[in-house]
Amino acid sequence: FTTEHLAFKKMHNDVFISLSKYCQKERNRRVQETKNEVAKPINLFFLDGPDGGTAKALMNIGNIDPSQCFVANRHESSCESLKSILPSDNVIFASAADALASKSDDGVLSDKIFSAYYFDGCGGYVPQIKEMITAALVKQEPDVSDCDGPIAIGYSILGGNRNVIGKELEISQALTAIAHKKGMRMVHVLDNYEKYGIAKEVRKVDGTTFTTWLILEPANEKLQ
C-alpha cells in the first residue's frame, strides 16, 4: 500500500471507531430511558487481513475491548494470524455472508447482535456486498434488543471507479428497503459528519478504492 492509501485506511478506521462510539452512546441513552438499565457493550463485525489493522485500531485507538470485535476471513492462515490479536472464538473461518447467516443456514454468529459493520475490501461486485448486508441485517425478526439504537454500516468498493455512483445507489436502495422493514431509516453519515463525530476531511475515494458509511437510525428519532 502507498503512504496515501494507508492514510486513507486509517481515516476510515477512525470513522468506524467514531460510529461505534456513537452507536454505544445512543444505545446507552435509549436503554436507560426505556428500561432504566445499563446497556451492554455493543458488538462490532468487520473484515480484516492477517495484519489485523482494523482490529488493532479499534483496540489501540478506540479503546474497544477485543471481546466486542468479530471478524470473518476465508483464508485459514489469515484466521490463525488474527487469532493472535482477537479471541479465537471471535475469528470465523468463513465468508462474511456465511458467518452472519441465520441460524437455519448455520450462521456461526446468528446469535449475535451487532451495532456496527465494516465490510472493507469487498471488491466491486454489488450483489456480494448486498448479500453480506442482507445476511447481517435480515437474519432475524426485529425485536426490542435489535432496535435499542442505531446500526452503522461501512463498505468499500475496489477495482476502479467505473459506475461507482450507480453501485453506491443500488446498495443504498437495498439498505433503505431493509431499514424500512426494521422500522428504521437510512442516513448518509458523511452528509452529517458533526453529529457522528467524523472529521470533515474524510473522503470517499482513494485511487481505485471507494469507501462510504451509512447508518440506520430508529425511525422514531428526530433528525438533527
Side-chain angles (χ1 to χ4, degrees):
F1 292 131
T2 64
T3 301
E4 291 78 8
H5 190 68
L6 289 174
F8 181 78
K9 289 181 73 68
K10 180 185 182 303
M11 184 186 300
H12 285 281
N13 280 337
D14 288 347
V15 173
F16 192 26
I17 291 168
S18 295
L19 292 180
S20 298
K21 291 185 179 298
Y22 170 81
C23 290
Q24 182 73 68
K25 180 186 71 173
E26 286 300 299
R27 187 171 291 267
N28 292 349
R29 179 182 65 80
R30 290 173 65 88
V31 170
Q32 178 64 37
E33 290 177 355
T34 59
K35 303 178 183 179
N36 197 28
E37 297 176 358
V38 177
K40 296 178 181 178
I42 62 171
N43 291 322
L44 318 176
F45 179 88
F46 50 98
L47 303 181
D48 214 348
D51 64 338
T54 297
K56 290 175 181 176
L58 291 171
M59 294 185 294
N60 298 335
I61 299 174
N63 293 316
I64 293 171
D65 193 271
S67 64
Q68 298 173 249
C69 302
F70 293 79
V71 302
N73 194 296
R74 292 181 294 179
H75 301 284
E76 190 170 9
S77 60
S78 294
C79 288
E80 290 304 313
S81 296
L82 288 164
K83 287 178 181 178
S84 67
I85 302 169
L86 297 174
S88 294
D89 289 346
N90 291 24
V91 180
I92 313 303
F93 176 37
S95 69
D98 287 343
L100 294 168
S102 63
K103 186 175 182 179
S104 61
D105 292 325
D106 299 320
V108 178
L109 300 176
S110 61
D111 62 335
K112 301 291 182 183
I113 292 176
F114 296 96
S115 292
Y117 300 86
Y118 186 13
F119 300 114
D120 189 23
C122 300
Y125 190 52
V126 170
Q128 182 185 43
I129 298 172
K130 290 167 63 176
E131 180 185 26
M132 288 188 288
I133 290 172
T134 300
L137 300 175
V138 192
K139 64 183 179 182
Q140 56 191 8
E141 290 299 318
D143 58 27
V144 66
S145 62
D146 196 25
C147 297
D148 277 339
I151 304 170
I153 303 103
Y155 67 88
S156 297
I157 297 174
L158 309 181
N161 298 321
R162 183 180 179 185
N163 299 326
V164 71
I165 294 176
K167 292 177 179 178
E168 180 185 18
L169 178 60
E170 186 176 346
I171 294 167
S172 293
Q173 289 173 335
L175 257 176
T176 298
I178 291 171
H180 180 72
K181 290 179 180 179
K182 294 174 77 68
M184 306 180 87
R185 67 175 185 275
M186 189 196 75
V187 179
H188 289 271
V189 169
L190 300 183
D191 290 342
N192 200 350
Y193 59 90
E194 290 182 341
K195 175 180 178 178
Y196 299 111
I198 307 301
K200 188 176 181 179
E201 296 74 24
V202 171
R203 50 194 169 85
K204 292 183 177 182
V205 178
D206 179 73
T208 59
T209 301
F210 171 90
T211 302
T212 194
W213 294 87
L214 305 160
I215 199 159
L216 304 190
E217 293 274 14
N220 59 354
E221 292 288 325
K222 293 181 180 179
L223 283 169
Q224 296 182 8

